[in-house]
Amino acid sequence: MNVVEVKNLAFAYDSDSPALNGVTFRVKEGDYVAIIGHNGSGKSTIAKVLMGLLSDYTGTVKLFDMLLEKESIEKIRSRVGIVFQNPDNQFVGSTVADDIAFGLENRCIPHEKMQSIIEKYASETGMSEFLNREPESLSGGQKQRVAIAGVLAMKPDLVIFDEATAMLDPKGKAEIAAIVSKMRKENPKLTILSITHDVEEAASADEVLVINDGKAFLQGTPNEVFSHEKELHSIQLDIPFVPGLINELKRQGFSVPENIKTLEALEDYLCQ
Amino acid sequence: MTFTLGKYVPYNSPVHKLDPRLKILATILLMVCVFMNYGSWAMTFTMEAIIFVIAAVLLYMTRTRITTILRSLKSLWMVIIFLLLIYAIMPTNNPTFPIAFRVEAWNWTVYWDSFLQAGKILLRLIMMIELTMILTSSTKPLDLTFALEWYMTPLKVIHFPAHEIAMTISIALRFIPTILEDTTRVMKAQESRGVSFTHGKLSRRIAALTSLIIPLFVSAFMRSDELANAMECRGYDPRGKRTRYRMLKWHWYDFLCLFLVVALATAFIWVAVDPRFSSFLKFPLEVH
């Protein structure tokens, strides 16, 4: 089943410079798809369209086989969670517990059930000790973990990360990556759409979509996409370490199997 | 930037534990008691003194430091001078005390009443400040917001946006530290570019402030835009039905305090209204 189906999506904030210019892509259930592109390529606009925050776009957008329109927005939003870039600007509650509860309150979850749900997802994101802390005493990574807990508490089928780690330090990034892989292990049906300009993160995805100038530039598995070194360099995108090494090995005449994605797998293969 | 008056001080006192709704009601009732007239001067000062003692005990219970109290009253000295001047100049219509002094040349008489009047107003102001301080230093701003929302709930019948107002206040409170952080960041950034907020002529300092305020506004608007998006994505609908995570609950001690406060206020109102009490106590020399 396709969780997301976008056809010829075009959108312009002002009429002379379109942010999106005919993007077509699909996201299958349970996949981890990374959308990469440099600043201003229009990748964050895709997230906003999918969440129904922008309305006057052209093309068709389908989520869970439902056409995104005014009547279906509420239904779609109840199945999609999004984590934005700025940790401060999505922290609504006055404490960690209040913030996780915010979405539950909106979904009219009974008061009696809230505490146990909050505790469950706080412990899943490692924020149990911080439930009564205020946002100003948390680091950016901790605030993002709270945002993830708030999203997971709503039991979404699709989670969108809109540059969620762009403002974090390497430690914060690693923590978020660990939570994401744990989330996927626990719920294999969970679909993740990660919008990022961190190519290293994209290398660990199932599928990569490269956006440039509002258009889909390349699409495929990380190894496929990152084998197009010249094209990616021409749009100022780097090649992550592992695919870069595989490319180099291939150039030297070694054949590397397609399913190798991580550094560990590559090490094992080379040490054979 | 620090606010001395009205800042919440986390402390586990009995006053902190009380329900914020009760605390608001008690503050209002005690203020009514402070501002009522009790007849003779001796009566008025006795009744005010009782509330003064209550306020002092509560301040002691909330562990408010003496220096904090004195600092909150620091700005009152101008009021004291102003009051004394006003009441000394104004003629006393119905003097209850003998003349304090007389300036024959200007045909100007000052009665002791003037000083008592000024003293009474001053005492009332002090108690108003202290009572508010007890409320705000022992109650989290967010709890105050919830309590206010609770009091405004009946107004929903006439489509008064009680929930929206409470949500707005709680978000504003939530973002105060964030915006303060922005302020120091923008100030540092501008100072590193040569802007000075503390030196130079007043006109230059005011001009320097615009270089602080404009980036601050831009960032605040960007933040609010993103926050609105995040709230919408999380299913927030101000007019929709919502459940509550934080609920205010009445405890037995809240009921006890409610009873005490209402009883006290009733007694005070009775004393103020019943003419038998109006000259129950009298200062020597006082005629009434």
Side-chain angles (χ1 to χ4, degrees):
Chain A
M1 188 185 110
N2 287 324
V3 171
V4 181
E5 228 182 305
V6 172
K7 249 184 226 154
N8 288 322
L9 176 63
F11 179 83
Y13 290 99
D14 54 75
S15 48
D16 4 299
S17 53
L20 292 175
N21 201 355
V23 177
T24 302
F25 69 97
R26 278 176 312 188
V27 177
K28 285 200 291 288
E29 187 176 40
D31 264 7
Y32 176 7
V33 176
I35 298 184
I36 57 171
H38 61 80
N39 294 339
S41 59
K43 55 194 192 308
S44 278
T45 310
I46 294 180
K48 282 190 183 156
V49 169
L50 291 180
M51 288 311 294
L53 293 171
L54 302 171
S55 53
D56 37 353
Y57 55 84
T58 57
T60 52
V61 178
K62 269 186 182 178
L63 284 107
F64 312 103
D65 288 331
M66 282 181 277
L67 197 65
L68 184 71
E69 53 195 358
K70 237 190 180 143
E71 291 73 35
S72 61
I73 278 183
E74 275 314 304
K75 219 171 170 190
I76 289 171
R77 273 191 195 148
S78 67
R79 298 178 66 179
V80 187
I82 182 163
V83 181
F84 288 103
Q85 177 179 12
N86 193 316
D88 267 314
N89 299 353
Q90 50 186 320
F91 205 110
V92 186
S94 53
T95 65
V96 170
D98 285 280
D99 190 63
I100 301 174
F102 179 71
L104 301 173
E105 292 176 324
N106 295 338
R107 298 262 178 271
C108 292
I109 307 288
H111 170 81
E112 302 75 43
K113 285 187 188 161
M114 280 189 194
Q115 191 59 36
S116 63
I117 298 177
I118 290 167
E119 276 164 18
K120 181 175 174 229
Y121 290 100
S123 83
E124 263 183 34
T125 49
M127 293 301 292
S128 295
E129 302 153 47
F130 304 97
L131 277 179
N132 289 318
R133 291 278 278 279
E134 280 152 16
E136 58 266 27
S137 67
L138 300 175
S139 71
Q142 287 169 328
K143 278 180 232 180
Q144 289 302 68
R145 270 145 68 189
V146 175
I148 295 176
V151 161
L152 291 183
M154 326 257 276
K155 296 205 168 70
D157 297 311
L158 167 67
V159 179
I160 303 175
F161 290 91
D162 185 3
E163 307 243 18
T165 58
M167 289 175 79
L168 304 185
D169 53 10
K171 190 174 160 252
K173 277 184 195 178
E175 283 167 359
I176 302 293
I179 291 172
V180 171
S181 65
K182 196 174 135 201
M183 271 158 59
R184 298 190 68 210
K185 230 172 260 166
E186 275 166 20
N187 181 6
K189 279 191 157 178
L190 183 69
T191 313
I192 289 172
L193 189 62
S194 178
I195 290 159
T196 175
H197 57 234
D198 181 3
V199 287
E200 291 296 338
E201 192 204 320
S204 62
D206 295 323
E207 212 180 305
V208 178
L209 172 68
V210 184
I211 300 279
N212 188 48
D213 285 339
K215 280 190 182 124
F217 187 77
L218 283 169
Q219 187 169 11
T221 64
N223 287 354
E224 268 166 38
V225 166
F226 291 118
S227 65
H228 296 85
E229 268 177 85
K230 266 208 191 106
E231 291 93 324
L232 288 174
H233 281 311
S234 75
I235 60 164
Q236 282 93 44
L237 279 175
D238 261 339
I239 308 294
F241 179 72
V242 175
L245 190 59
I246 293 173
N247 290 345
E248 193 57 46
L249 286 168
K250 279 183 180 163
R251 254 200 299 278
Q252 303 289 334
F254 294 96
S255 70
V256 184
E258 283 303 315
N259 57 357
I260 287 181
K261 266 170 43 180
T262 61
L263 190 59
E264 289 77 23
L266 190 61
E267 261 174 21
D268 288 345
Y269 170 72
L270 291 176
C271 293
Q272 268 173 17
Chain B
M1 273 180 226
T2 48
F3 318 101
T4 44
L5 176 65
K7 200 182 172 205
Y8 174 67
V9 187
Y11 187 78
N12 202 11
S13 82
V15 186
H16 282 69
K17 273 188 217 144
L18 288 177
D19 191 290
R21 292 167 290 183
L22 172 83
K23 277 190 269 191
I24 289 180
L25 180 75
T27 310
I28 293 171
L29 285 179
L30 285 175
M31 280 200 192
V32 168
C33 294
V34 166
F35 279 87
M36 275 190 304
N37 260 324
Y38 299 99
S40 74
W41 282 112
M43 274 309 285
T44 303
F45 278 105
T46 314
M47 299 309 263
E48 304 269 337
I50 295 173
I51 304 173
F52 189 85
V53 170
I54 295 173
V57 169
L58 290 174
L59 276 173
Y60 176 75
M61 280 165 86
T62 52
R63 295 289 163 104
T64 311
R65 272 176 300 177
I66 303 281
T67 48
T68 318
I69 300 171
L70 290 180
R71 221 178 301 150
S72 73
L73 300 177
K74 207 169 63 181
S75 52
L76 277 181
W77 65 270
M78 293 237 294
V79 180
I80 299 172
I81 293 170
F82 181 72
L83 280 174
L84 283 175
L85 273 177
I86 286 288
Y87 280 104
I89 291 165
M90 278 210 310
T92 312
N93 290 330
N94 189 13
T96 53
F97 273 110
I99 295 165
F101 59 86
R102 218 181 126 72
V103 185
E104 292 292 346
W106 302 341
N107 192 20
W108 178 48
T109 319
V110 176
Y111 291 91
W112 283 112
D113 290 55
S114 303
F115 297 106
L116 288 171
Q117 198 72 36
K120 186 174 85 179
I121 304 259
L122 188 69
L123 196 65
R124 284 178 173 178
L125 280 177
I126 291 176
M127 282 200 284
M128 200 174 77
I129 292 172
E130 296 319 314
L131 287 172
T132 323
M133 197 155 96
I134 294 166
L135 175 70
T136 51
S137 70
S138 72
T139 321
K140 279 187 205 146
L142 195 73
D143 285 337
L144 273 182
T145 317
F146 282 149
L148 284 177
E149 189 188 354
W150 186 81
Y151 279 115
M152 290 189 293
T153 315
L155 296 177
K156 274 183 184 166
V157 181
I158 55 162
H159 297 289
F160 183 79
H163 166 73
E164 284 94 322
I165 288 176
M167 183 53 99
T168 312
I169 296 174
S170 71
I171 287 175
L173 291 171
R174 142 82 186 88
F175 273 90
I176 286 174
T178 315
I179 303 281
L180 280 180
E181 218 172 87
D182 276 356
T183 314
T184 45
R185 206 182 55 236
V186 173
M187 272 174 94
K188 277 180 191 159
Q190 299 290 36
E191 273 170 347
S192 74
R193 288 168 174 79
V195 177
S196 174
F197 296 102
T198 45
H199 297 285
K201 273 187 288 182
L202 187 69
S203 60
R204 286 200 59 180
R205 272 187 282 169
I206 291 171
L209 269 185
T210 48
S211 73
L212 168 68
I213 289 167
I214 290 172
L216 209 56
F217 262 94
V218 171
S219 108
F221 276 113
M222 267 158 54
R223 280 186 192 284
S224 59
D225 189 37
E226 283 182 28
L227 184 76
N229 276 347
M231 287 172 75
E232 205 180 331
C233 288
R234 290 172 74 180
Y236 179 65
D237 176 7
R239 277 164 215 88
K241 210 173 155 316
R242 299 180 85 225
T243 47
R244 267 306 181 62
Y245 171 56
R246 290 217 184 263
M247 299 252 246
L248 296 170
K249 259 198 218 115
W250 294 94
H251 296 282
W252 62 268
Y253 45 83
D254 294 318
F255 284 110
L256 180 71
C257 286
L258 180 69
F259 175 74
L260 286 177
V261 167
V262 171
L264 184 89
T266 319
F268 270 64
I269 292 169
W270 186 28
V271 171
V273 172
D274 195 327
R276 277 174 296 171
F277 286 108
S278 67
S279 48
F280 188 69
L281 289 172
K282 256 189 208 170
F283 284 128
L285 296 178
E286 188 179 359
V287 284
H288 202 277

